[in-house]
Protein backbone atom coordinates (compact mmCIF):
# COMPACT_ATOMS: atom_id res chain seq x y z
CA UNK A 1 0.00 0.00 0.00
CA UNK A 2 1.55 3.27 -1.14
CA UNK A 3 0.28 5.86 1.32
CA UNK A 4 3.22 8.17 2.02
CA UNK A 5 5.46 10.33 -0.19
CA UNK A 6 8.42 8.11 0.68
CA UNK A 7 6.59 4.94 -0.36
CA UNK A 8 5.47 6.67 -3.56
CA UNK A 9 9.03 7.55 -4.54
CA UNK A 10 10.26 4.05 -3.67
CA UNK A 11 7.45 2.29 -5.54
CA UNK A 12 7.95 4.37 -8.68
CA UNK A 13 11.69 3.66 -8.63
CA UNK A 14 11.10 -0.08 -8.29
CA UNK A 15 8.42 -0.20 -10.98
CA UNK A 16 10.69 1.68 -13.38
CA UNK A 17 13.06 -1.32 -13.38
CA UNK A 18 10.56 -3.52 -15.25
CA UNK A 19 10.08 -3.83 -19.01
CA UNK A 20 6.36 -4.50 -18.59
CA UNK A 21 3.72 -3.34 -16.12
CA UNK A 22 0.18 -4.53 -15.52
CA UNK A 23 -2.30 -1.91 -14.32
CA UNK A 24 -5.80 -1.94 -12.89
CA UNK A 25 -8.17 0.64 -11.43
CA UNK A 26 -10.67 0.49 -8.59
CA UNK A 27 -13.64 2.79 -9.03
CA UNK A 28 -16.97 3.78 -7.50
CA UNK A 29 -18.96 2.25 -10.37
CA UNK A 30 -18.68 0.41 -13.66
CA UNK A 31 -19.43 3.54 -15.69
CA UNK A 32 -15.96 4.58 -16.84
CA UNK A 33 -17.03 8.11 -17.70
CA UNK A 34 -18.94 8.89 -14.51
CA UNK A 35 -17.18 6.94 -11.77
CA UNK A 36 -14.58 8.25 -9.35
CA UNK A 37 -11.13 6.71 -9.13
CA UNK A 38 -10.65 4.98 -5.77
CA UNK A 39 -7.22 3.49 -6.39
CA UNK A 40 -4.69 2.26 -8.94
CA UNK A 41 -2.67 -0.94 -8.82
CA UNK A 42 0.56 -1.62 -10.69
CA UNK A 43 2.62 -4.80 -10.89
CA UNK A 44 5.90 -5.50 -12.62
CA UNK A 45 6.32 -9.07 -11.40
CA UNK A 46 4.04 -12.05 -10.93
CA UNK A 47 4.64 -11.98 -7.18
CA UNK A 48 4.33 -8.35 -6.12
CA UNK A 49 2.32 -5.26 -6.84
CA UNK A 50 1.60 -1.81 -5.45
CA UNK A 51 -1.71 -0.18 -4.59
CA UNK A 52 -2.06 3.59 -4.75
CA UNK A 53 -5.21 4.58 -2.82
CA UNK A 54 -6.55 8.03 -3.74
CA UNK A 55 -10.31 8.01 -3.23
CA UNK A 56 -11.19 5.93 -0.19
CA UNK A 57 -13.64 7.41 2.33
CA UNK A 58 -11.34 6.48 5.23
CA UNK A 59 -7.68 5.75 5.83
CA UNK A 60 -4.31 7.27 5.11
CA UNK A 61 -3.76 7.94 1.43
CA UNK A 62 -2.02 10.29 -0.95
CA UNK A 63 -3.75 12.92 -3.01
CA UNK A 64 -4.47 12.14 -6.64
CA UNK A 65 -2.29 15.11 -7.61
CA UNK A 66 0.73 13.61 -5.79
CA UNK A 67 0.24 10.22 -7.41
CA UNK A 68 -0.23 11.72 -10.87
CA UNK A 69 2.89 13.85 -10.57
CA UNK A 70 5.03 10.83 -9.69
CA UNK A 71 3.49 8.15 -11.86
CA UNK A 72 2.72 9.93 -15.15
CA UNK A 73 6.25 9.65 -16.55
CA UNK A 74 6.22 5.94 -15.66
CA UNK A 75 2.78 5.28 -17.13
CA UNK A 76 3.62 6.78 -20.50
CA UNK A 77 7.26 5.66 -20.68
CA UNK A 78 7.63 4.25 -24.22
CA UNK A 79 10.26 1.74 -23.03
CA UNK A 80 7.84 0.03 -20.62
CA UNK A 81 5.02 -2.06 -22.08
CA UNK A 82 1.63 -1.86 -20.33
CA UNK A 83 -0.84 -4.72 -20.06
CA UNK A 84 -4.30 -4.98 -18.57
CA UNK A 85 -7.50 -6.97 -18.48
CA UNK A 86 -10.20 -4.98 -20.29
CA UNK A 87 -7.73 -2.12 -20.74
CA UNK A 88 -10.30 0.10 -22.43
CA UNK A 89 -12.19 0.60 -19.16
CA UNK A 90 -9.09 1.43 -17.12
CA UNK A 91 -7.73 3.73 -19.81
CA UNK A 92 -10.97 5.70 -19.89
CA UNK A 93 -11.07 5.97 -16.09
CA UNK A 94 -7.48 7.21 -15.93
CA UNK A 95 -8.00 9.62 -18.82
CA UNK A 96 -10.87 11.21 -16.87
CA UNK A 97 -8.44 12.12 -14.06
CA UNK A 98 -5.69 13.28 -16.42
CA UNK A 99 -3.48 10.18 -16.55
CA UNK A 100 -2.44 8.62 -19.85
CA UNK A 101 -1.05 5.10 -20.21
CA UNK A 102 1.04 3.90 -23.15
CA UNK A 103 2.14 1.85 -24.92
CA UNK A 104 -0.49 -0.85 -24.47
CA UNK A 105 0.95 -4.17 -25.60
CA UNK A 106 -1.55 -6.78 -24.41
CA UNK A 107 -5.09 -7.18 -23.12
CA UNK A 108 -5.84 -10.53 -21.49
CA UNK A 109 -9.60 -10.23 -22.03
CA UNK A 110 -9.20 -9.63 -25.76
CA UNK A 111 -6.62 -12.42 -25.99
CA UNK A 112 -9.08 -14.91 -24.51
CA UNK A 113 -11.76 -13.74 -26.94
CA UNK A 114 -9.42 -14.13 -29.93
CA UNK A 115 -8.52 -17.66 -28.86
CA UNK A 116 -12.14 -18.60 -28.18
CA UNK A 117 -14.86 -16.16 -29.35
CA UNK A 118 -17.49 -18.27 -27.54
CA UNK A 119 -15.60 -18.19 -24.23
CA UNK A 120 -17.66 -17.72 -21.09
CA UNK A 121 -14.50 -16.85 -19.18
CA UNK A 122 -13.80 -13.30 -20.32
CA UNK A 123 -13.91 -11.99 -16.74
CA UNK A 124 -10.53 -11.97 -14.99
CA UNK A 125 -11.70 -14.10 -12.04
CA UNK A 126 -13.11 -16.79 -14.33
CA UNK A 127 -10.08 -16.66 -16.60
CA UNK A 128 -7.66 -17.06 -13.67
CA UNK A 129 -9.61 -20.08 -12.44
CA UNK A 130 -9.87 -21.80 -15.84
CA UNK A 131 -6.35 -21.01 -17.03
CA UNK A 132 -4.32 -20.99 -13.82
CA UNK A 133 -6.44 -22.86 -11.29
CA UNK A 134 -6.35 -19.80 -9.06
CA UNK A 135 -9.46 -18.72 -7.17
CA UNK A 136 -9.54 -14.95 -6.80
CA UNK A 137 -11.59 -12.80 -4.45
CA UNK A 138 -14.86 -11.73 -6.04
CA UNK A 139 -15.90 -8.08 -5.93
CA UNK A 140 -19.18 -8.85 -4.17
CA UNK A 141 -17.26 -10.23 -1.18
CA UNK A 142 -15.93 -6.69 -0.71
CA UNK A 143 -18.89 -4.50 -1.62
CA UNK A 144 -21.82 -6.86 -1.15
CA UNK A 145 -24.91 -7.05 -3.35
CA UNK A 146 -28.39 -5.61 -3.59
CA UNK A 147 -29.59 -3.03 -1.08
CA UNK A 148 -26.62 -3.64 1.20
CA UNK A 149 -24.05 -3.02 -1.56
CA UNK A 150 -21.48 -0.34 -0.78
CA UNK A 151 -19.07 1.60 -2.98
CA UNK A 152 -15.45 0.54 -3.39
CA UNK A 153 -14.61 3.89 -1.78
CA UNK A 154 -16.13 2.58 1.46
CA UNK A 155 -14.03 -0.60 1.46
CA UNK A 156 -10.99 -0.50 3.73
CA UNK A 157 -7.72 0.35 2.00
CA UNK A 158 -6.16 -2.92 3.17
CA UNK A 159 -8.96 -5.03 1.67
CA UNK A 160 -9.03 -3.05 -1.57
CA UNK A 161 -5.24 -3.25 -1.87
CA UNK A 162 -5.01 -7.04 -1.83
CA UNK A 163 -7.93 -7.28 -4.25
CA UNK A 164 -6.52 -4.67 -6.66
CA UNK A 165 -2.95 -5.96 -6.61
CA UNK A 166 -4.17 -9.50 -7.26
CA UNK A 167 -5.90 -8.21 -10.40
CA UNK A 168 -2.66 -6.71 -11.73
CA UNK A 169 -0.48 -9.68 -10.74
CA UNK A 170 -2.91 -12.21 -12.20
CA UNK A 171 -2.96 -10.30 -15.47
CA UNK A 172 0.81 -10.77 -15.70
CA UNK A 173 0.51 -14.48 -14.88
CA UNK A 174 -2.00 -14.93 -17.71
CA UNK A 175 0.31 -13.41 -20.33
CA UNK A 176 2.37 -16.51 -21.06
CA UNK A 177 -0.42 -19.08 -21.49
CA UNK A 178 -2.55 -16.65 -23.50
CA UNK A 179 0.37 -15.66 -25.74
CA UNK A 180 1.10 -19.34 -26.41
CA UNK A 181 -2.55 -19.94 -27.31
CA UNK A 182 -2.61 -16.91 -29.60
CA UNK A 183 0.43 -18.31 -31.40
CA UNK A 184 -1.12 -21.75 -31.77
CA UNK A 185 -4.28 -20.16 -33.21
CA UNK A 186 -2.26 -17.91 -35.54
CA UNK A 187 -3.84 -14.90 -33.83
CA UNK A 188 -0.86 -13.18 -32.20
CA UNK A 189 -0.32 -10.88 -35.18
CA UNK A 190 -4.01 -9.99 -35.14
CA UNK A 191 -3.69 -9.11 -31.47
CA UNK A 192 -0.58 -6.97 -31.95
CA UNK A 193 -1.36 -5.29 -35.26
CA UNK A 194 -5.09 -4.71 -34.91
CA UNK A 195 -6.70 -5.30 -31.53
CA UNK A 196 -4.07 -3.52 -29.41
CA UNK A 197 -4.16 -0.50 -31.71
CA UNK A 198 -7.96 -0.40 -31.57
CA UNK A 199 -7.87 -0.21 -27.77
Amino acid sequence: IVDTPEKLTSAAAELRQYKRLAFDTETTSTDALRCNLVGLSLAGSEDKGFYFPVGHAHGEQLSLAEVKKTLQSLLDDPKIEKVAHNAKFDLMVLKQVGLTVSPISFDTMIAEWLVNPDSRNLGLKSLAWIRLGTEMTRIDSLIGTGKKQISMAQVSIASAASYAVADAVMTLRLLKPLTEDLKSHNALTLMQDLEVKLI
Side-chain angles (χ1 to χ4, degrees):
I1 299 171
V2 181
D3 54 11
T4 67
E6 294 75 24
K7 288 181 182 177
L8 180 59
T9 301
S10 175
E14 183 172 334
L15 289 165
R16 200 169 289 284
Q17 305 304 310
Y18 295 103
K19 294 180 180 179
R20 178 185 295 123
L21 295 177
F23 66 100
D24 183 62
T25 59
E26 298 308 324
T27 61
T28 54
S29 81
T30 55
D31 185 333
L33 299 178
R34 296 184 181 183
C35 66
N36 293 322
L37 179 64
V38 176
L40 168 68
S41 60
L42 293 170
S45 83
E46 296 182 6
D47 303 308
K48 180 183 179 181
F50 296 91
Y51 182 62
F52 303 83
V54 296
H56 285 266
H58 307 286
E60 185 178 353
Q61 56 201 314
L62 297 169
S63 71
L64 177 58
E66 288 176 282
V67 172
K68 282 169 57 177
K69 183 178 180 183
T70 301
L71 293 186
Q72 184 56 79
S73 63
L74 177 68
L75 292 175
D76 62 11
D77 186 331
K79 295 178 183 174
I80 303 175
E81 295 178 8
K82 316 302 185 308
V83 300
H85 185 87
N86 190 16
K88 182 179 175 181
F89 175 84
D90 298 305
L91 289 171
M92 290 187 346
V93 168
L94 294 173
K95 186 73 171 175
Q96 294 300 310
V97 298
L99 278 168
T100 55
V101 182
S102 68
I104 303 298
S105 65
F106 204 90
D107 185 315
T108 49
M109 185 179 80
I110 292 176
E112 172 68 9
W113 177 76
L114 286 173
V115 169
N116 180 9
D118 295 323
S119 176
R120 295 175 178 258
N121 302 303
L122 295 181
L124 180 60
K125 278 46 173 189
S126 297
L127 198 55
W129 174 249
I130 295 298
R131 294 242 174 211
L132 304 172
T134 301
E135 189 168 0
M136 298 179 70
T137 300
R138 302 262 173 191
I139 187 70
D140 55 11
S141 70
L142 293 181
I143 65 173
T145 58
K147 292 181 180 179
K148 295 183 179 181
Q149 183 172 323
I150 61 174
S151 163
M152 196 65 170
Q154 295 168 289
V155 173
S156 74
I157 291 175
S159 296
S162 58
Y163 176 85
V165 167
D167 283 358
V169 165
M170 209 56 61
T171 298
L172 285 179
R173 291 183 188 179
L174 285 164
L175 275 177
K176 185 176 180 181
L178 284 170
T179 299
E180 290 172 353
D181 268 10
L182 285 170
K183 287 177 182 176
S184 69
H185 286 77
N186 295 315
L188 186 59
T189 300
L190 179 61
M191 175 73 165
Q192 296 170 337
D193 293 350
L194 180 65
E195 296 295 347
V196 166
K197 292 177 181 178
L198 286 174
I199 294 171

